[in-house]
Amino acid sequence: MSDEFFAGFLDDYFAECEEHLAATRSALLQLETAANQPAAQRRIVDDLFRYYHSLKGISAMVELRPAERLAHELENYLRAVRAGELPVTDDGLNLLIEGTQLLERIVHAHRDKEALPPIDDVVGRVAIALPTATPRVSASEHAGIRTGADGDSSAARMWQCTFAPTRELLAKGVGVDAIRKRLGQIGTIVDATPQVRPDGAIAFEFSLRVPAGVDVKAALEDVPVAVEALDVAPPTAASAAATGSFDEHDAGGGASSSPSQVVRVDLARLDELMRQVGDMVISRARLLDTLSRIEAHVPPVEWRAVQENAVAIDRQLRTLREGLMRVRLVPVGEIFRRMPFVVRDLAREAGKRITLLLQGQATEIDKYLIERMMDPVLHLVRNAVSHGIEPPEERIAHGKRPEGTITLSASAAGELVTIEIADDGRGVDAGDVIARARQAGLPVPAGQLDANAVLALLCAPGFSTKDEADRASGRGVGMAVVKETVERLSGTIALDSEAGVGTRFTIQLPLTLAIADALIGRVGPESFAVPQSVVREVIEVNASEVRQIEGNEIIPYRDASLSIVRLARVFGIEAPLSARFHVFVIGSGAGAVGFAVDRIVGQREIVVRAIADPLVRVDGISGATDLGDGRVVLILDPTALARLTR
């Protein structure tokens, strides 16, 4: 029970750390832009003080001492700023940013069970930065956070409250957070320490300071805690001030009796729910298939009732699926909020001046995709700093502002999310890309290369436009991983660049990968599912409109031409050529391609079953599904097919 409980407790700790660290990063960026706004600076410094204090407190509860100590030292620094003993300077801000990044690395290393990074350098620099007259408060002296009003401290008494969680209590929702909130309603929690008892059970000991006159045992008689008075002299108001205790306003409002509106749910549980909904979708398809076969044998009056029930089930299941998808969606700002620090550090190191613009942070995407897109977006932003934005003197020589701009934006339309990383730098030099590709021994197509061909070279393993690797780029693996990750997530990546003007990478991803709307096409005796999110449009074509050019088939399309690929030829299916057929149009502009099928059977909601075995995985096939009639239907990956046909 103890291992299980600690695992759950650590999960809560890591989640809370992410929230506090995200708020800290945002506040630090605000502090950097509030140079001439004393009132705003004071508010932001107060917020930062509270965030570090919270990080220290929760790190102490899980006994992650390096994080506790580092957060406390940063808190000491801000205490001096709040007292007016230190001004807000660039060096001080840099120190806070480095400390925050180090805190994040410590938490992540603890979560991944890796060696913790050292903190002595940052702690030492904080000590040097503090004025000599500033009293340094140790972490042990300042371990608690005030969560309730306690009146006159000199008249308070100290109590020890011990909570021992059990399965039964946890099942009723009575956990350490609920106990901590209840204790905070009657006094001030001075310390909280987890304990492992000899029998392996877990207990939490809270030191509680309560105003005189409060009957603690009566107030907590309905709470499963053991209460014992401590024979310790309570701290005076003066000593409380010396140890930096702060009031309810500083603590962010103190304990609230209103219930939280946020529930943390393990992503694995949502995955299981999505799988169950997927099974229900398949069962619904089988039910509809069965009903279609028995329709002729059911009297019309009875059939109408059956049909109404089937339609109601279909509507309710779709609503359930959409609701579950919304639960899985999180703001793409989870990716974006890390980028300002990356750009700031790399720009300072490279001697460049860069402004980062973030747009569409509220756009939502599946949590699964967020986690896997963090590194690709990070790499593209680093490339924009390293390769795209020029040094100030070079920009001025070309008539540009000395400060470059990188824009990171997100938007959603239908079932697709678009992420763009753009800069106003030097652009991609196609000639240099071709020369370096040949130097690396990569195959280069003949003739003038379009944007897609240039992107293919940039994403080739081993390709790099830098002679030496640095923190940002130059290893020849990043863009290949970016492209592979995006395509593995059934997405697309496109390049748009103009020399001297800038570069834009556009990534399109489906909102979710588990259940999708698809168009069902038939080729001879075979059926294929095509995700609707990647289909630009469907057109009907007369065979007489097809023209042959150098072994390729093209058709007139929107005042231009469209290259078409017959799926029967791609998969070796024997099917007679029809006088009229349908074409799925994938992509846009010069990169558009059409896939020809005999006819469109219809639109269905499908459950995507990925093909995990590498021995049977095939380019152009992203998975399989069951339409309800018991037959397996392959799901096409039009993007991969388009790449193969090119």
Side-chain angles (χ1 to χ4, degrees):
M1 201 285 276
S2 59
D3 291 342
E4 178 185 345
F5 179 80
F6 259 130
F9 187 69
L10 280 174
D11 287 342
D12 287 342
Y13 167 72
F14 294 133
E16 282 195 45
C17 280
E18 287 295 331
E19 294 173 3
H20 291 309
L21 287 169
T24 302
R25 287 190 291 264
S26 177
L28 287 171
L29 293 174
Q30 294 174 31
L31 187 61
E32 189 173 30
T33 60
N36 300 317
Q37 305 171 46
Q41 277 192 349
R42 171 68 186 185
R43 175 183 57 79
I44 297 169
V45 167
D46 287 345
D47 288 342
L48 285 169
F49 186 88
R50 184 169 66 252
Y51 299 146
Y52 289 129
H53 189 91
S54 299
L55 285 165
K56 179 186 70 175
I58 60 178
S59 296
M61 292 192 69
V62 299
E63 298 185 338
L64 184 55
R65 300 307 178 195
E68 177 192 4
R69 183 185 174 202
L70 179 57
H72 179 72
E73 294 300 329
L74 297 174
E75 184 185 26
N76 267 337
Y77 182 87
L78 286 171
R79 182 178 291 107
V81 174
R82 295 173 87 196
E85 299 168 358
L86 282 177
V88 178
T89 63
D90 288 342
D91 289 341
L93 184 61
N94 291 335
L95 184 57
L96 290 172
I97 289 175
E98 288 183 40
T100 301
Q101 292 173 328
L102 181 55
L103 264 175
E104 186 173 16
R105 292 201 300 273
I106 292 171
V107 172
H108 287 176
H110 187 57
R111 181 188 61 195
D112 298 335
K113 296 180 174 57
E114 298 175 351
L116 302 182
I119 65 171
D120 293 341
D121 178 61
V122 173
V123 168
R125 289 163 58 195
V126 171
I128 294 173
L130 286 174
T132 55
T134 300
R136 289 178 53 78
V137 182
S138 69
S140 60
E141 291 174 317
H142 190 212
I145 180 170
R146 179 171 176 173
T147 56
D150 62 8
D152 182 6
S153 294
S154 62
R157 291 194 61 189
M158 296 296 295
W159 295 81
Q160 178 175 293
C161 303
T162 304
F163 169 63
T166 64
R167 293 181 185 275
E168 293 75 15
L169 290 173
L170 293 175
K172 297 176 182 178
V174 181
V176 66
D177 288 335
I179 297 298
R180 182 167 47 187
K181 180 178 293 186
R182 181 62 182 275
L183 295 178
Q185 292 172 355
I186 66 170
T188 299
I189 298 175
V190 177
D191 193 13
T193 307
Q195 302 287 343
V196 179
R197 293 177 171 176
D199 60 355
I202 306 300
F204 290 88
E205 292 184 355
F206 295 90
S207 296
L208 187 68
R209 185 171 63 242
V210 181
V214 174
D215 189 340
V216 176
K217 293 185 177 180
L220 298 176
E221 63 180 356
D222 62 334
V223 181
V225 294
V227 180
E228 180 182 357
L230 295 176
D231 295 326
V232 178
T236 63
S239 66
T243 57
S245 296
F246 51 101
D247 61 20
E248 188 170 335
H249 174 73
D250 283 336
S256 171
S257 59
S258 60
S260 172
Q261 299 302 308
V262 177
V263 177
R264 295 193 184 101
V265 180
D266 190 340
L267 187 60
R269 296 186 180 183
L270 294 181
D271 290 339
E272 178 60 29
L273 278 177
M274 186 63 82
R275 281 191 290 271
Q276 292 177 10
V277 171
D279 292 339
M280 293 172 67
V281 169
I282 293 175
S283 298
R284 178 198 60 188
R286 290 173 178 166
L287 174 62
L288 295 178
D289 182 67
T290 301
L291 291 177
S292 65
R293 292 198 302 270
I294 66 173
E295 178 180 0
H297 308 288
V298 179
V301 175
E302 295 181 11
W303 177 252
R304 187 177 300 110
V306 172
Q307 195 172 35
E308 289 175 355
N309 287 330
V311 170
I313 291 174
D314 182 77
R315 182 173 61 252
Q316 292 163 1
L317 183 55
R318 180 172 288 272
T319 301
L320 175 62
R321 170 217 163 184
E322 292 174 352
L324 181 55
M325 284 178 55
R326 284 195 297 271
V327 171
R328 294 176 59 94
L329 299 181
V330 295
V332 76
E334 284 201 10
I335 296 178
F336 287 7
R337 68 191 181 195
R338 300 176 183 267
M339 302 306 155
F341 287 100
V342 174
V343 171
R344 187 180 187 278
D345 287 350
L346 293 178
R348 290 181 61 219
E349 185 177 293
K352 299 179 180 181
R353 295 164 57 184
I354 301 175
T355 297
L356 178 65
L357 301 179
L358 303 179
Q359 302 172 351
Q361 295 189 71
T363 302
E364 293 185 320
I365 190 172
D366 194 297
K367 176 68 174 177
Y368 176 88
L369 299 178
I370 283 283
E371 293 177 348
R372 281 147 187 81
M373 283 304 301
M374 185 73 72
D375 288 341
V377 172
L378 179 61
H379 183 83
L380 291 174
V381 169
R382 283 175 169 165
N383 271 2
V385 176
S386 178
H387 299 288
I389 302 297
E390 315 94 326
E393 58 274 9
E394 182 179 335
R395 292 180 63 86
I396 293 173
H398 288 87
K400 295 182 176 181
R401 295 184 304 107
E403 187 175 62
T405 301
I406 297 175
T407 303
L408 190 56
S409 62
S411 60
E415 295 292 316
L416 283 179
V417 170
T418 301
I419 299 175
E420 293 186 348
I421 301 94
D423 66 72
D424 64 350
R426 58 172 62 96
V428 176
D429 186 335
D432 182 47
V433 171
I434 293 172
R436 288 181 176 271
R438 287 174 175 159
Q439 183 180 354
L442 300 173
V444 179
Q448 187 173 2
L449 303 188
D450 60 11
N452 288 321
V454 172
L455 178 62
L457 291 177
L458 290 174
C459 296
F463 179 87
S464 177
T465 57
K466 276 206 167 187
D467 297 319
E468 295 182 1
D470 57 20
R471 282 182 61 198
S473 56
R475 297 167 183 80
V477 296
M479 286 302 299
V481 173
V482 169
K483 186 169 183 287
E484 179 185 349
T485 301
V486 171
E487 291 178 349
R488 194 185 306 122
L489 297 175
S490 300
T492 62
I493 181 170
L495 168 68
D496 181 20
S497 182
E498 183 177 348
V501 176
T503 302
R504 180 185 304 275
F505 286 94
T506 302
I507 297 173
Q508 287 192 322
L509 297 165
L511 275 178
T512 185
L513 300 178
I515 302 175
D517 289 318
L519 297 171
I520 310 301
R522 184 174 293 277
V523 180
E526 302 294 336
S527 294
F528 297 95
V530 181
Q532 190 171 320
S533 60
V534 300
V535 177
R536 185 176 182 84
E537 66 176 310
V538 177
I539 57 178
E540 189 175 25
V541 178
N542 287 322
S544 59
E545 300 176 17
V546 180
R547 298 289 182 268
Q548 296 278 345
I549 298 181
E550 297 182 354
N552 297 315
E553 292 185 315
I554 64 170
I555 58 173
Y557 176 70
R558 298 192 180 280
D559 299 326
S561 60
L562 176 70
S563 175
I564 64 171
V565 177
R566 297 183 184 270
L567 289 181
R569 193 170 301 163
V570 172
F571 295 112
I573 300 173
E574 294 186 6
L577 298 179
S578 304
R580 296 181 68 83
F581 56 90
H582 290 111
V583 172
F584 296 102
V585 181
I586 308 297
S588 60
V593 64
F595 292 98
V597 297
D598 294 343
R599 61 191 178 92
I600 304 260
V601 177
Q603 179 186 22
R604 300 289 290 272
E605 190 178 39
I606 64 171
V607 178
V608 179
R609 305 295 192 192
I611 299 176
D613 190 342
L615 297 179
V616 297
R617 193 180 299 152
V618 178
D619 280 345
I621 303 296
S622 62
T625 190
D626 181 350
L627 297 182
D629 57 4
R631 292 185 301 166
V632 174
V633 174
L634 295 178
I635 304 172
L636 300 185
D637 183 349
T639 305
L641 285 176
R643 184 175 66 252
L644 290 173
T645 55
R646 291 193 189 103

